[in-house]
Amino acid sequence: MNALANEFVERLRSVIGTPAAGAPFGLHEPEIGDLEKKYLNECLDSTFVSSVGAFIPQFEKRIAEITGAKYAIAVSNGTVGLQVALFLAGVRPGDEVIVPTLSFIATANAVSHAGAVPHFIDSELSTLGMSPEALRDRLTAMRRDAGGTLRNPLTGARIAAISPMHTLGHPVRIEEIADIAAEFGIPLVEDAAESLGSFVTTRSGERKHTGTFGITGMISFNGNKTITTGGGGVILTDDDELGPLAKHLTTTAKMPHKWEFEHDHIGWNFRMPNLNAALGMAQLEKFDRFLDQKRRLAVAYGNAFADFEGGRFSFEPEGTESNYWLCAVQLDDPSLALRDEVLQACHDAGFLTRPMWNLLHQQRMYSSAPAAGDSLGGSLDTAIALHASLICIPSTPKLAERL
Ligand SMILES: *Cc1c(COP(=O)(O)O)cnc(C)c1O
């Protein structure tokens, strides 16, 4: 067997020990206990299990407090949250939205469900997220039409938004991306699905939460995220028009009235049920502990891999605080064969490590979507290398108890 793969497994073992037979260490498992059961029972007893109930506004208020967003609108999952966030930012059918090719499928699917087309660009090694340089190059390769609208010269489509993603919880260089977006006059919509609890220290010294730099942003509470509501998400915005509109549009766009069913838009039923918000309220009480445990786990992995020949632990970018949603090790040699040997060795030893997502521009639905590396120049080389070299390692908060 490959010596590097063996050594990789040894380093994992040195941090979290050996899994019990039949109980491998997963990547990120939710912790559900008595508090979750208590709140869920309260919710059941209230009979308000569906689209209205006391837990929903409580949950929204806590997320607004944590993120500093003026409005936090709970929705049924992150993917629809991003779809609505893009719609609110002005994305319409036929438009293109710039996204990193190195992301989970939902980043591109949300664009598609908004009727638009994802337009893929490269990522960078230091943050694992959208490269500001690649963004600038790409936008510079676009053309202004007579009316001043920025368009892709190959497709004629309007560039309607830029949607970076905070990969594995590590913040991208969001201020630089926001500056470029402003310079080109394109709205910024953050896919902060993975980064609840991840902050950036801004140039003005403010500690600002990811997902609050754009006109709109989204955080996910899927079962594998830092906290879970079972399924769920939230739309973030500071905009006094878009905040209430997000709530209105995701709750069927019904006009307030005691009995009339009058609707003023083709709205969505994307509400987060009260049951899920109840689960979320219990999780939020543990959120600080989760963050602390994940950080301690990251420090321990960082130490264990410090002198690992063949790769390095992926630390939070400078000037940021990552939630370390998923800890990852980046192999020095971007090779799918080597990567898979390491994954195989880990799985054989009961460590359920995972690679990054297959690149979006290579997924069959998006293989002919606009992407850097076409006749307008650029490349997706860094994303391709990251895909072939990153390995996500067990990051469940509770594993910190094994340190
Ligand atoms: C989890 C995730 C989403 C949203 O997922 P849902 O399962 O719909 O909540 C979107 N983008 C990224 C990058 C994600 O990791």
Side-chain angles (χ1 to χ4, degrees):
M1 206 219 280
N2 186 300
L4 185 136
N6 264 338
E7 187 56 30
F8 194 102
V9 170
E10 278 318 309
R11 304 283 161 140
L12 292 182
R13 208 173 265 143
S14 74
V15 175
I16 54 175
T18 304
F25 294 134
L27 211 54
H28 196 289
E29 290 161 1
E31 182 186 314
I32 305 294
D34 290 341
L35 193 62
E36 283 78 5
K37 290 173 190 165
K38 177 169 176 261
Y39 288 177
L40 280 168
N41 273 324
E42 253 177 56
C43 183
L44 291 169
D45 290 342
S46 77
T47 76
F48 284 91
V49 294
S50 188
S51 48
V52 290
F55 285 107
I56 299 167
Q58 283 173 26
F59 184 74
E60 290 176 330
K61 182 163 176 284
R62 280 295 295 137
I63 295 296
E65 284 166 4
I66 290 167
T67 59
K70 187 159 181 193
Y71 299 94
I73 300 92
V75 290
S76 47
N77 61 65
T79 309
V80 298
L82 188 57
Q83 176 191 333
V84 176
L86 291 162
F87 177 83
L88 292 170
V91 173
R92 293 294 178 270
D95 288 340
E96 288 178 15
V97 176
I98 310 271
V99 302
T101 188
L102 182 66
S103 188
F104 177 56
I105 195 76
T107 308
N109 285 351
V111 171
S112 300
H113 293 315
V117 174
H119 181 145
F120 302 111
I121 66 167
D122 209 0
S123 295
E124 59 178 358
L125 293 174
S126 58
T127 65
L128 315 179
M130 180 183 279
S131 154
E133 288 78 23
L135 174 64
R136 175 178 292 285
D137 287 351
R138 197 64 186 168
L139 291 177
T140 305
M142 301 295 111
R143 291 286 171 269
R144 296 261 172 216
D145 68 13
T149 301
L150 197 67
R151 292 184 185 277
N152 179 343
L154 300 181
T155 61
R158 181 174 77 118
I159 305 298
I162 298 162
S163 193
M165 193 275 286
H166 303 283
T167 312
L168 309 180
H170 290 356
V172 292
R173 283 194 276 155
I174 191 68
E175 281 189 294
E176 283 164 79
I177 290 173
D179 285 350
I180 296 166
E183 183 186 326
F184 283 85
I186 311 291
L188 179 64
V189 177
E190 286 171 83
D191 181 344
E194 305 176 356
S195 61
L196 181 71
S198 297
F199 292 84
V200 172
T201 303
T202 67
R203 290 185 286 246
S204 59
E206 189 192 349
R207 182 172 173 266
K208 197 167 161 62
H209 198 281
T210 50
T212 65
F213 289 81
I215 181 160
T216 50
M218 173 278 286
I219 297 176
S220 165
F221 308 111
N222 191 41
N224 59 349
K225 297 298 203 297
T226 301
I227 68 151
T228 187
T229 57
V234 73
I235 300 165
L236 303 178
T237 186
D238 285 342
D239 190 293
D240 289 325
E241 202 179 317
L242 298 184
L245 187 59
K247 190 66 172 178
H248 186 61
L249 291 179
T250 53
T251 57
T252 76
K254 185 181 174 299
M255 307 291 280
H257 192 282
K258 277 206 175 77
W259 55 79
E260 291 282 0
F261 288 97
E262 184 68 19
H263 303 258
D264 64 349
H265 286 86
I266 302 176
W268 291 283
N269 177 12
F270 286 166
R271 315 178 241 229
M272 176 186 285
N274 200 40
L275 270 173
N276 299 76
L279 184 54
M281 284 307 289
Q283 291 270 292
L284 279 175
E285 288 190 32
K286 304 173 174 177
F287 176 54
D288 287 343
R289 169 168 64 79
F290 288 165
L291 281 184
D292 177 64
Q293 288 176 314
K294 291 174 82 59
R295 178 160 293 272
R296 288 196 289 120
L297 199 54
V299 169
Y301 279 136
N303 290 336
F305 280 91
D307 60 352
F308 175 64
E309 285 182 29
R312 59 187 188 85
F313 182 76
S314 182
F315 283 105
E316 61 198 349
E318 228 180 283
T320 75
E321 235 171 276
S322 175
N323 65 1
Y324 283 106
W325 170 53
L326 291 186
C327 289
V329 172
Q330 191 187 330
L331 302 176
D332 292 337
D333 176 18
S335 148
L336 288 171
L338 174 64
R339 184 198 76 173
D340 289 353
E341 270 189 87
V342 173
L343 289 166
Q344 187 64 56
C346 290
H347 279 243
D348 290 346
F351 300 92
L352 304 185
T353 53
R354 298 284 291 271
M356 297 300 279
W357 317 277
N358 283 357
L359 297 170
L360 295 176
H361 75 281
Q362 293 171 344
Q363 305 271 358
R364 68 199 71 185
M365 309 79 75
Y366 296 121
S367 58
S368 52
D374 58 13
S375 62
L376 300 173
S379 85
L380 300 168
D381 290 349
T382 304
I384 290 167
L386 284 169
H387 171 248
S389 54
L390 276 171
I391 294 183
C392 298
I393 59 182
S395 305
T396 302
K398 252 197 158 16
L399 288 173
E401 292 170 8
R402 303 176 60 89
L403 297 179

